[in-house]
Structures are given as C-alpha cells and as structure tokens.
Amino acid sequence: QLQLVESGGGLVQPGGSLRLSCAASGVAFDYYAIGWFRQPPAKEREGVGCINSNGGDTVYADSVKGRFTISRDNAKNTVYLEMNSLKPEDTAVYYCAGVIGGDTVKSTWWLPYEYHYWGQGTQVTVSS
C-alpha cells in the first residue's frame, strides 16, 4: 500500500519560507492525487491544496493562494509544498494524503475522508 512521509517542517519567522516534502513508497506513485492538509492547535484539519497524479492540475484554499505552491516529481516519488510569506496563522501540523485514481482534482478535494493514505505530519511554527 501507499506510504507517505512528510519532512521539512520547523521554526520560521513571519515572512519567511519553508519547503515541505512528501515522500511516497510502496506502490506506483503516479496514479495518486496528493492533497496537503494542516491542523492548527485546537482547530479542525483543513485543506491546503491538491495536485493531480501527473502534476498538471492544482487547486488551493483561498487562505494560501499566491503564497503556497504544490508541485510533484514522480521520478522521485515526491510531492512538495513551497510556502512563502508565512504568517503566524500558518502555524500547524502539515499532512500529505493520497487517493488513487487522481487523474483530475475533484471538487471535493478539501474533504479529508476522500483520502485513503496519510503521512504522520510535520510541525510548522511561524513565530518571531
């Protein structure tokens, strides 16, 4: 089965940047759409964005549009989340999640239950 591992989190000052990685293993990666989610302290898990299986289609939450970019390198079995102009409200545990048959980004991409495979999460803290 698909296994996902996030990395790249840490402490960054407001206005700074981080690049998170989601490394996949176990099965062929290029059949899966990958979503990024985050869970701030004491809040519900929320969708950040999603990328389809071949990387040709992406979608983002309004809160991160223009600041975050999702990309993938299927040869490396890795999806990336580049985060720029970070704000304190971006502080959260960030997760990547996969769903098979993701040739297109569905209108329901932002619903966690659409994804069958999840990583363990990586902490991002934006603070002075």
Side-chain angles (χ1 to χ4, degrees):
Q1 62 177 336
L2 180 68
Q3 296 176 325
L4 302 171
V5 178
E6 303 94 336
S7 63
L11 176 64
V12 63
Q13 294 184 1
S17 299
L18 281 175
R19 190 191 195 198
L20 305 183
S21 297
C22 174
S25 63
V27 296
F29 183 56
D30 54 353
Y31 295 108
Y32 291 82
I34 300 295
W36 283 97
F37 291 78
R38 66 185 184 185
Q39 188 164 13
K43 294 184 178 180
E44 295 291 321
R45 189 170 298 187
E46 63 183 0
V48 174
C50 185
I51 188 167
N52 76 322
S53 57
N54 66 18
D57 190 23
T58 55
V59 65
Y60 302 91
D62 288 341
S63 59
V64 305
K65 284 181 180 177
R67 299 190 298 121
F68 291 11
T69 302
I70 302 172
S71 61
R72 68 190 296 160
D73 186 342
N74 285 348
K76 297 181 178 179
N77 289 335
T78 302
V79 170
Y80 304 97
L81 177 64
E82 183 180 357
M83 304 183 294
N84 301 310
S85 301
L86 284 163
K87 306 173 181 179
E89 52 262 44
D90 295 319
T91 295
V93 177
Y94 283 72
Y95 300 88
C96 63
V99 58
I100 197 168
D103 57 330
T104 60
V105 176
K106 297 180 179 180
S107 61
T108 53
W109 69 268
W110 52 275
L111 295 171
Y113 64 71
E114 293 284 352
Y115 299 84
H116 299 158
Y117 308 97
W118 291 82
Q120 83 291 344
T122 185
Q123 176 71 49
V124 173
T125 302
V126 184
S127 176
S128 298

